[in-house]
Amino acid sequence: MGARKSNGQEPGTARRTLLGAAVLGAGGAALGLPGTASADERHRGGGYRSLPRPAVIGHRGASGYRPEHTFGSYELALDLGADVVEAGDLVPTKDGHLVCRHEPEIGGTTDVAAHPEFAGRRTTKTLDGVPTTGWFTEDFTLAELKTLRAVERIPANRPHNTLYDGRWEIPTFEEVLHWQDEQTRKRGKQVWIYPETKHPTYFRALGLGLEERVARLLRKYGKDRKDSPVILQSFEPSSIQRLDKLVGNPLVVLLSAANTRPWDFVTAGDPRTVADLVTPEGLKWIASYAQGIGPTLDLVIPKDADGNLTTATTLVADAHRAGLILHPYTMRNENPFLPTAFRKGTAVDAYGDPFGAFKVYFETGIDGVFSDNADTAVLARADFLGR
């Protein structure tokens, strides 16, 4: 999607008073149908709207400082001031447990390659149309995965994080739900989490459907209701529609590049692209079953061929008009992940000027942002709000 006209907001209109901590949640009901109330209207008054704005979401925890999707990363995100922790990206094991890994392929996030007993598990699979070689969670039992340890996924950008390689094991989603309660008691305030169903169409074809497993665990721990501190997200709209029928939690549709198609659209023959979903009509459709969107930051402010920010699109205003919140992804401190104008030097592990970038993104009126560096995001928010 090319640059669109500015959303017309004055730079200061996004400044909102922090509303303070509140119980996160929203009710979920049946899939919205013509003539019925939108999903957001059914959830109005829910706690997810009482999150601080803009909210700081710890992306895979504090992955700028610790190997991602570990309890070390999750707890540090809370220590650094994250309002919500993305704990975790959910993928299944061979025996049906949900574990937290960025992808089902774990060669880059664990020490599996150093385990000779698993050398024969290395294989090539087609994951959402892309041939992928490595080790996959669905080929391991939970007991086998628990013998592995997490490692830094991008050591070239984060060499200091390798200090913590091997310290933490792979957490299960059930362990995360226990951890959430423990941290809530320990910290004296409600801890909120933001799990994602990963590659749900792929796993459903393997007989390892994610949504039912997520719903079963949320029901088991009483966290499937409108006042539960759990937001659910997915890049596949059909996964969110399925969850809308199973649980009452607030739901968010993740949106990748404008010219891409969600994989469930590809398999179903749905010709729509992300560009179609961010139109007013597409956003209205999303709002019939979800409460928010998680767009890539480039859908909020596109970049030119040199990597510089251009003019903000109308996405923020259009989504708000449809009753949706926006939590874009992902802000990181290192040079390669920042718009060109906010980089300092060329070192791939050096910090640029994320504060400058945060300011520009916050001025669009977004409701929150995923960040690998929660402390930076919290300070940037304080600067933006004049606190």
Side-chain angles (χ1 to χ4, degrees):
M1 180 173 61
R4 295 155 70 182
K5 293 182 179 179
S6 168
N7 59 20
Q9 291 184 316
E10 294 298 322
T13 59
R15 290 177 167 83
R16 303 178 177 93
T17 302
L18 287 176
L19 301 177
V23 176
L24 172 65
L31 184 66
L33 298 172
T36 66
S38 72
D40 184 67
E41 287 170 335
R42 298 197 305 271
H43 286 65
R44 200 170 298 283
Y48 76 98
R49 288 228 176 242
S50 296
L51 281 169
R53 298 172 72 181
V56 172
I57 304 158
H59 186 235
R60 307 172 199 163
S63 53
Y65 310 111
R66 300 290 188 272
E68 64 191 29
H69 286 313
T70 60
F71 283 121
S73 183
Y74 296 159
E75 291 185 19
L76 183 57
L78 294 176
D79 293 342
L80 297 178
D83 304 304
V84 188
V85 179
E86 189 191 29
D89 291 336
L90 304 180
V91 292
T93 66
K94 183 178 182 179
D95 46 350
H97 296 276
L98 294 176
V99 296
C100 303
R101 288 292 85 193
H102 172 48
E103 290 289 340
E105 197 291 300
I106 55 174
T109 61
T110 74
D111 62 357
V112 64
H115 286 251
E117 67 273 26
F118 298 136
R121 307 279 180 95
R122 190 172 188 268
T123 187
T124 298
K125 300 189 180 189
T126 300
L127 185 62
D128 292 3
V130 180
T132 304
T133 299
W135 292 263
F136 295 80
T137 59
E138 67 268 23
D139 295 332
F140 292 77
T141 65
L142 178 59
E144 289 173 330
L145 285 180
K146 283 295 188 178
T147 67
L148 307 180
R149 292 296 181 268
V151 301
E152 172 55 39
R153 183 177 64 88
I154 47 175
N157 303 109
R158 293 166 178 172
H160 293 95
N161 289 11
T162 62
L163 173 66
Y164 305 100
D165 284 356
R167 180 169 289 270
W168 293 287
E169 63 181 27
I170 298 174
T172 68
F173 185 44
E174 188 161 19
E175 288 170 342
V176 164
L177 295 175
H178 282 293
W179 170 85
Q180 180 185 24
D181 292 338
E182 291 167 357
Q183 292 296 312
T184 294
R185 289 192 294 269
K186 175 182 176 181
R187 296 170 189 270
K189 63 179 181 179
Q190 180 62 63
V191 168
W192 303 331
I193 62 173
Y194 210 135
E196 175 187 345
T197 57
K198 299 290 292 192
H199 305 286
T201 295
Y202 169 81
F203 284 118
R204 185 162 295 278
L206 297 178
L208 292 167
L210 300 178
E211 296 82 7
E212 294 82 3
R213 287 174 167 81
V214 171
R216 191 178 306 121
L217 284 172
L218 291 176
R219 285 195 297 268
K220 178 179 178 180
Y221 292 97
K223 298 182 180 185
D224 62 328
R225 301 185 292 266
K226 64 181 296 182
D227 59 348
S228 300
V230 183
I231 302 176
L232 300 172
Q233 57 179 330
S234 182
F235 278 100
E236 296 189 16
S238 64
S239 182
I240 296 300
Q241 290 174 309
R242 193 180 299 272
L243 286 166
D244 184 45
K245 297 177 181 179
L246 294 171
V247 297
N249 302 76
L251 306 171
V252 169
V253 175
L254 298 170
L255 300 169
S256 190
N259 62 350
T260 63
R261 292 164 67 198
W263 186 247
D264 55 338
F265 282 19
V266 174
T267 61
D270 188 327
R272 289 178 296 173
T273 65
V274 168
D276 296 311
L277 297 184
V278 296
T279 64
E281 180 181 3
L283 293 168
K284 183 179 180 182
W285 176 73
I286 290 175
S288 70
Y289 58 87
Q291 289 67 56
I293 58 172
T296 174
L297 285 164
D298 288 348
L299 292 174
V300 178
I301 309 179
K303 297 188 187 77
D304 62 22
D306 295 321
N308 288 303
L309 297 179
T310 60
T311 302
T313 69
T314 61
L315 179 58
V316 174
D318 291 343
H320 285 165
R321 196 172 296 115
L324 296 166
I325 59 171
L326 295 90
H327 291 157
Y329 66 92
T330 304
M331 277 295 296
R332 299 177 169 100
N333 286 358
E334 295 90 0
N335 276 320
F337 308 115
L338 291 167
T340 300
F342 298 100
R343 297 173 186 173
K344 293 183 177 180
T346 59
V348 297
D349 62 336
Y351 283 4
D353 175 24
F355 292 111
F358 268 116
K359 181 177 184 294
V360 175
Y361 288 123
F362 284 158
E363 285 176 344
T364 66
I366 58 177
D367 300 287
V369 65
F370 287 81
S371 175
D372 288 7
N373 310 85
D375 53 341
T376 306
V378 168
L379 287 172
R381 177 176 64 187
D383 291 345
F384 178 69
L385 296 173
R387 289 172 176 255

